Amino acid sequence: MSEAEEQRWVGVMLDKLAAQESKRTFGDAELTERAAQLSEQYFDGRARPRTVRWVTNQNTRWGSCTPAEGSIRLSHRLQGMPEYVVDYVLLHELAHLLVPGHGPRFWELLEAYPRTERARGYLEGVVAAERLPKVPAAREE
Ligand SMILES: [Zn+2]
């Protein structure tokens, strides 16, 4: 292998490692950590989930929560969306540990998070975009 080839190969391997690294950085452990930070920041640490994890079997909901078990699940579809959107969904599920349902008390809790409206708009946009008819490919006349 020439020096130039070797350098190119090292570059390729480093890129691969970096790609793996960036995928790994937001796993269940980081999600759990993030939930604790958000609970601290917005709910005075009152929401204390026992488990927070990503799930791939949730395609119609962004997140879900089982208060009796203290478990929170986030759809893997959120991965790759802006951080403030993931934070909003996490906070939403954390809030359900304190208030079930979506009554005024629930939304009052979420008002503490300044990007609630923006995040909801983003998610509505994603759903709306998925429902749009596919643009037909241009036809060659
Ligand atoms: Zn909800």
Side-chain angles (χ1 to χ4, degrees):
M1 213 185 270
S2 74
E3 203 175 319
E5 276 174 330
E6 191 178 308
Q7 268 179 11
R8 200 175 58 86
W9 191 79
V10 167
V12 168
M13 291 312 285
L14 286 176
D15 284 349
K16 275 194 184 162
L17 277 175
Q20 281 174 2
E21 200 62 44
S22 69
K23 263 184 214 154
R24 233 185 294 139
T25 47
F26 219 114
D28 291 349
E30 288 75 13
L31 203 57
T32 304
E33 174 67 21
R34 189 79 193 132
Q37 283 171 5
L38 289 168
S39 175
E40 196 57 52
Q41 191 174 350
Y42 295 102
F43 303 148
D44 300 319
R46 284 178 297 135
R48 292 195 200 88
R50 233 168 285 155
T51 58
V52 186
R53 60 193 177 89
W54 295 107
V55 290
T56 54
N57 61 353
Q58 203 158 260
N59 290 316
T60 54
R61 290 201 288 178
W62 299 114
S64 63
C65 167
T66 310
E69 291 170 9
S71 61
I72 288 175
R73 294 160 300 276
L74 254 58
S75 168
H76 73 290
R77 295 172 67 219
L78 291 162
Q79 287 171 3
M81 288 190 193
E83 207 171 56
Y84 75 88
V85 176
V86 178
D87 280 358
Y88 160 72
V89 178
L90 255 181
L91 264 176
H92 183 118
E93 301 310 329
L94 284 166
H96 278 312
L97 292 178
L98 305 172
V99 180
H102 297 111
R105 277 190 58 224
F106 176 84
W107 291 113
E108 251 168 51
L109 273 178
L110 281 183
E111 268 170 24
Y113 181 61
R115 288 166 134 180
T116 288
E117 278 311 308
R118 190 171 163 192
R120 292 182 75 194
Y122 184 99
L123 292 171
E124 277 168 19
V126 170
V127 172
E130 283 169 353
R131 286 184 189 149
L132 287 176
K134 298 276 177 283
V135 178
R139 231 180 310 156
E140 305 257 347
E141 298 287 338

